[in-house]
Amino acid sequence: MHRTVKSFLQTLKFSLGCCRYYFNRNCDLVIALCSQIKPQEFQFTKCLGNSWNNTDSPGHIVPRRFFSCKDLLKSEQENWKVTSARYMDTAERIKKKLEVMYDKYTFSMSSPVIRFGDCVYFEENGCIFRSKADSDEGSVEVLLSTEDLGFDDAIIQRIRISPDQRYMATSIKSSNSEEASCIVTNLEKLPMVEYIIPNVFSFEWATNDVLFYTSQKNLVCHKVLLVTFANRKHAELVYTEQDPRFFVDIYCTKDRRFLTINSNSKTSSEVWLVDCSHPFNSPILVQQRTKGVIYHVEHRNDELYILTTYGEPAEYKLMKTPVGSYGMENWQLVYTLKEKTKLIDLEMFRDHCVMFLKHYGHLYLNVISLVSHSVQSIKLPAWACAFESEPHPEYNASICYFQLTSPIQPPTRFAYMLVENHLVEQEAPITINCHTVRLEAKSKDEILVPITVFYNTNSKELHRKPLLVHVYGAYGIDLNMSFKAEKLMLIEDGWILAYCHVRGGGELGLSWHKDGCMHNKLKGLHDLKACIMLLHELGFSQPKYTALTGSSAGGVLAGALCNANPDLIRALVLQTPFLDVLNTMLDTDLPLTIEEQEEWGNPLADEKYMEYIKSYCPYHNIKPQAYPSVLITAYENDQRIPLIGLLRYVHKLRKAERDHARSLNKKGNLIPNIILNIQAGGNHCAPLWEDSLNEVTSHLAFLYKEFGLERE
């Protein structure tokens, strides 16, 4: 599907923290394949001067001397080869089990299918196919092959079909870069590549032969262009965003009446309309950007339907206004979300609007009749933790399809009959010996923080079982609670899984994010501490069997807890973590720093933010004390998390632990493992499937070893 609101909401959070969401927004098909495209040469964003004064840490193989940054990178990669050998046997056993589970629960699921007119489009093995909607399998034609294009393996991100189905635009990227190319294929007679546009983020067909697209450079999208494919190819600039805090993408309304140019920061929006019947006319402004007002536009029957934060309460509302009366003074309220409700997605149909919602951990559908404005609220099964939308529901469709999933439950397909107001479960969920428990921990300021816990129904003496705690808490993004085969494997092995929905994330709506960003970031740390302490108090494991995991911006709270309360956990696993907040926010040469100021604050302009960030920044609060063991995974080509910051963090952490060990002056003192795994190639958002499998395997092998567990 178009992923209307979901893509819009995720666009607002485009940042170095929103890794996994970044490539899912605006995608119709998101298929992670393996890539053998030549990696780009890696260059450090910043260097620690011209040398590095290395300090030995126990078990570290690097001799004491001065290093250049490249020397240090090579040293860490060599160190990982030696260290990983210790986990090899355990890792191999885990990998074999995971491959079986992936085959059973992941690759057995069919690829998404896009229905367009009388044809269906789908992807398999790096090829895009087309067939007649009601024909047999024998009449399938190949439209595009990534291998034939020179990509033996690649990631297909997005597909757009022109209204007359003459052209297909497809974005393809390497796993080593976040920049994609748009491949325009002429589907008449024999499919043939007609045009390649480099460095593209989003694109939409306005007419049969006019394509609008956004140009991406250094993680930033500020320009919208159009290209024509009629008698004479023609390209021109349509729109340029001047404010570096904003990110631009484009979207076509479900009825194809308008193409919208959406310029979003984290706190405000501005939308321009392009009439698809007159694509060369100048775009029309809907509402000038206003601080604190976010909005997104759909169209139906000569009215704009606007999803917005305008007005009170400060949650999303659905409003409408006639075409031509665009200003917010004309907006009429249709529906308001109740407080503490997260809007996950929204789909427009001819006579209905379907909202996908989460309220205190439970999932709901709210179906609004656009004729009578009546609302049907459907509570979904209690086991479900996340929605997975299906591609391209047709505007005139009478059925809304979607999937429900959880960390331990593969996606299960549902259908909601819009006219009959009836929910149908089309697939039965798998049977799992697992309890799901929803708890609330009282934070430092008495606010109740949700926790979702999973554990094996056959487990006894839960206080002795290993516990893996998950945290994120940034950008208004929920913890990822989609199915992961490795989570199911852990449950089978007797682990307890806990997901802490701390402030800064989006689990309880817009106010939940606001209460955990900028000058409120420490609240997320207090929430995390309260969650772990409650789990232990209730008998879910104990500190010596507890591990904490976080990725990207989740590394801020995980790293901060590691400094403030290292006694609560035994091990820490971080994936591409953001650990040096202060130095990053002081460096405006980095591509996302200015945009990130609305999440973390601006220490360059406000001394209070300088001191506040310094008070929780993981790097700046390392001190000599007993730390848990730490495994960090990073990628050479990561444009979002400067690798030098991770090298600096690990160096300082090892030194602090070494100084602590010396101060105790005791033999036999347990020395934690501080491990940095820098993977060649790859990027922040999309590791290859094989690389991802190896990465997960190494994480689990590390944890099993740390806890003295052996998986047979």
Side-chain angles (χ1 to χ4, degrees):
M1 67 173 202
H2 276 168
R3 295 208 174 191
T4 57
V5 174
K6 195 170 191 177
S7 64
F8 156 69
L9 297 175
Q10 291 165 356
T11 296
L12 296 177
K13 297 153 191 156
F14 180 73
S15 59
L16 50 83
C18 83
C19 62
R20 302 297 171 191
Y21 292 82
Y22 165 71
F23 281 118
N24 283 337
R25 68 182 188 200
N26 293 318
C27 296
D28 293 318
L29 299 178
V30 183
I31 301 102
L33 309 170
C34 301
S35 176
Q36 297 176 1
I37 302 167
K38 184 178 179 181
Q40 298 176 352
E41 183 179 355
F42 177 76
Q43 295 181 346
F44 287 100
T45 306
K46 288 285 181 181
C47 228
L48 299 179
N50 294 320
S51 62
W52 178 286
N53 188 10
N54 183 66
T55 306
D56 286 326
S57 59
H60 198 274
I61 64 171
V62 182
R64 181 187 299 275
R65 64 181 177 87
F66 287 95
F67 287 93
S68 70
C69 293
K70 288 186 176 181
D71 285 337
L72 191 65
L73 171 61
K74 184 177 180 180
S75 169
E76 289 293 347
Q77 290 174 328
E78 290 298 322
N79 189 26
W80 168 247
K81 290 179 182 179
V82 174
T83 304
S84 61
R86 306 173 195 165
Y87 307 107
M88 188 173 297
D89 291 343
T90 302
E92 283 301 313
R93 288 193 292 271
I94 292 173
K95 186 174 182 179
K96 288 179 181 178
K97 174 66 174 178
L98 281 179
E99 285 175 334
V100 172
M101 298 188 78
Y102 272 113
D103 288 341
K104 182 177 181 180
Y105 296 118
T106 304
F107 291 137
S108 61
M109 296 184 290
S110 59
S111 300
V113 174
I114 300 171
R115 179 158 185 162
F116 197 98
D118 61 349
C119 294
V120 294
Y121 298 79
F122 59 96
E123 188 277 344
E124 285 185 9
N125 300 321
C127 295
I128 298 174
F129 299 89
R130 178 174 65 181
S131 68
K132 292 295 182 180
D134 301 319
S135 66
D136 56 35
E137 295 182 0
S139 59
V140 174
E141 59 178 323
V142 180
L143 303 180
L144 182 144
S145 166
T146 56
E147 184 175 356
D148 290 346
L149 290 174
F151 305 120
D152 291 339
D153 305 293
I155 297 169
I156 297 175
Q157 290 183 283
R158 181 186 181 111
I159 298 173
R160 290 291 185 267
I161 309 298
S162 65
D164 62 358
Q165 300 192 62
R166 179 180 176 183
Y167 294 102
M168 177 179 70
T170 309
S171 57
I172 299 177
K173 66 172 289 297
S174 158
S175 66
N176 297 308
S177 172
E178 293 195 31
E179 296 177 347
S181 294
C182 177
I183 314 296
V184 179
T185 307
N186 189 325
L187 303 182
E188 285 192 327
K189 299 179 181 179
L190 293 176
M192 177 181 65
V193 173
E194 187 162 316
Y195 207 69
I196 298 178
I197 312 171
N199 304 327
V200 172
F201 178 73
S202 59
F203 48 89
E204 296 283 356
W205 293 99
T207 68
N208 292 333
D209 56 11
V210 178
L211 180 74
F212 282 69
Y213 66 93
T214 56
S215 175
Q216 181 178 7
K217 183 178 180 181
N218 295 329
L219 306 181
V220 173
C221 273
H222 283 164
K223 293 183 178 181
V224 177
L225 302 95
L226 68 79
V227 60
T228 64
F229 296 90
N231 296 329
R232 183 173 61 87
K233 290 185 177 63
H234 165 73
E236 66 180 64
L237 180 66
V238 176
Y239 174 86
T240 301
E241 174 57 60
Q242 302 295 336
D243 192 328
R245 297 173 301 163
F246 283 71
F247 186 94
V248 180
D249 74 348
I250 52 177
Y251 162 72
C252 192
T253 58
K254 286 286 291 294
D255 63 359
R256 303 199 62 84
R257 168 69 187 279
F258 291 108
L259 187 146
T260 64
I261 298 172
N262 311 291
S263 189
N264 300 302
S265 77
K266 291 181 174 57
T267 59
S268 60
S269 302
E270 189 170 271
V271 178
W272 297 75
L273 297 180
V274 175
D275 189 333
C276 288
S277 61
H278 300 92
F280 299 103
N281 289 356
S282 297
I284 300 172
L285 177 64
V286 175
Q287 168 61 48
Q288 187 175 8
R289 62 192 67 176
T290 302
K291 187 174 182 180
V293 176
I294 296 169
Y295 72 100
H296 169 74
V297 173
E298 258 292 354
H299 177 265
R300 171 188 177 269
N301 289 355
D302 286 329
E303 290 184 313
L304 298 184
Y305 279 80
I306 302 165
L307 183 72
T308 180
T309 60
Y310 173 58
E312 296 295 333
E315 296 293 345
Y316 280 110
K317 306 158 198 70
L318 184 64
M319 308 183 85
K320 69 176 183 177
T321 189
V323 170
S325 300
Y326 296 124
M328 65 171 63
E329 67 275 7
N330 300 304
W331 297 359
Q332 304 167 26
L333 182 64
V334 176
Y335 181 77
T336 301
L337 294 184
K338 61 184 178 181
E339 291 186 323
K340 305 299 183 184
T341 298
K342 168 65 180 254
L343 174 62
I344 298 172
D345 203 351
L346 178 148
E347 281 294 350
M348 289 288 292
F349 295 86
R350 183 184 60 199
D351 294 325
H352 296 85
C353 171
V354 180
M355 289 185 170
F356 299 80
L357 306 174
K358 180 187 290 185
H359 184 66
Y360 283 98
H362 293 282
L363 300 184
Y364 295 81
L365 288 185
N366 274 12
V367 183
I368 304 170
S369 169
L370 301 178
V371 178
S372 67
H373 288 184
S374 62
V375 180
Q376 296 284 336
S377 185
I378 301 96
K379 187 175 182 178
L380 297 169
W383 60 262
C385 296
F387 290 103
E388 291 193 4
S389 304
E390 295 204 356
H392 274 306
E394 294 186 359
Y395 180 64
N396 293 316
S398 60
I399 303 175
C400 178
Y401 295 100
F402 60 94
Q403 296 178 342
L404 297 179
T405 183
S406 84
I408 58 168
Q409 182 67 246
T412 300
R413 196 171 194 237
F414 286 75
Y416 185 77
M417 310 300 176
L418 295 170
V419 178
E420 297 85 353
N421 295 323
H422 181 55
L423 181 68
V424 178
E425 183 181 66
Q426 296 194 315
E427 301 169 336
I430 65 172
T431 302
I432 304 171
N433 293 323
C434 182
H435 277 309
T436 302
V437 179
R438 291 181 170 89
L439 306 171
E440 290 182 322
K442 187 177 291 186
S443 193
K444 185 177 180 179
D445 58 0
E446 304 294 309
I447 295 295
L448 296 178
V449 182
I451 315 169
T452 309
V453 183
F454 304 90
Y455 65 93
N456 195 308
T457 54
N458 298 321
S459 291
K460 298 178 180 179
E461 297 185 313
L462 290 176
H463 67 287
R464 296 181 181 273
K465 296 298 182 182
L467 166 65
L468 182 59
V469 178
H470 303 72
V471 70
Y472 189 73
Y475 306 111
I477 294 175
D478 298 4
L479 268 171
N480 185 353
M481 298 193 72
S482 297
F483 175 70
K484 302 290 183 185
E486 60 269 21
K487 307 302 182 186
L488 182 55
M489 189 197 82
L490 289 175
I491 291 295
E492 291 180 352
D493 280 3
W495 284 67
I496 305 165
L497 305 179
Y499 292 77
C500 301
H501 308 293
V502 303
R503 280 173 285 185
E507 286 87 345
L508 295 183
L510 296 175
S511 60
W512 199 246
H513 170 226
K514 187 175 180 180
D515 269 358
C517 69
M518 302 286 282
H519 59 278
N520 292 319
K521 186 58 69 174
L522 275 170
K523 291 182 180 179
L525 174 60
H526 299 153
D527 293 352
L528 178 58
K529 177 183 176 181
C531 289
I532 296 176
M533 291 181 67
L534 177 66
L535 289 166
H536 292 160
E537 289 169 8
L538 295 178
F540 291 107
S541 195
Q542 52 188 294
K544 66 180 180 180
Y545 301 131
T546 298
L548 176 62
T549 184
S551 64
S552 196
V556 174
L557 295 184
L561 182 97
C562 195
N563 288 325
N565 301 99
D567 55 319
L568 288 179
I569 58 176
R570 168 66 183 275
L572 179 65
V573 174
L574 300 173
Q575 182 184 41
T576 62
F578 188 27
L579 296 168
D580 192 355
V581 184
L582 185 57
N583 284 326
T584 300
M585 296 309 298
L586 288 172
D587 188 352
T588 55
D589 289 337
L590 295 173
L592 297 175
T593 294
I594 294 176
E595 185 181 337
E596 294 297 304
Q597 290 169 356
E598 293 180 316
E599 176 71 22
W600 309 97
N602 184 359
L604 291 168
D606 191 333
E607 183 67 26
K608 291 181 180 178
Y609 275 116
M610 174 82 76
E611 295 304 316
Y612 189 72
I613 294 173
K614 192 182 294 183
S615 73
Y616 67 80
C617 175
Y619 172 75
H620 283 85
N621 287 278
I622 294 172
K623 57 191 175 186
Q625 62 177 344
Y627 278 94
S629 290
V630 179
L631 171 61
I632 297 174
T633 301
Y635 305 106
E636 275 193 68
N637 292 333
D638 192 338
Q639 294 175 274
R640 296 172 179 267
I641 305 294
L643 187 55
I644 194 61
L646 296 179
L647 293 167
R648 184 162 46 194
Y649 175 86
V650 168
H651 167 79
K652 188 175 181 180
L653 188 62
R654 286 175 179 154
K655 183 179 184 303
E657 184 53 53
R658 182 172 178 237
D659 291 346
H660 173 68
R662 284 175 173 171
S663 68
L664 295 177
N665 198 25
K666 292 181 181 179
K667 292 185 178 181
N669 189 50
L670 181 65
I671 303 297
N673 294 300
I674 311 297
I675 304 169
L676 177 59
N677 173 16
I678 303 172
Q679 297 190 7
N683 71 78
H684 193 83
C685 298
L688 308 174
W689 180 79
E690 181 66 27
D691 290 343
S692 178
L693 178 62
N694 290 334
E695 187 176 316
V696 169
T697 298
S698 66
H699 291 172
L700 297 182
F702 168 78
L703 292 176
Y704 274 80
K705 279 288 188 179
E706 286 297 320
F707 291 155
L709 304 172
E710 286 295 331
R711 190 175 208 293
E712 298 298 337

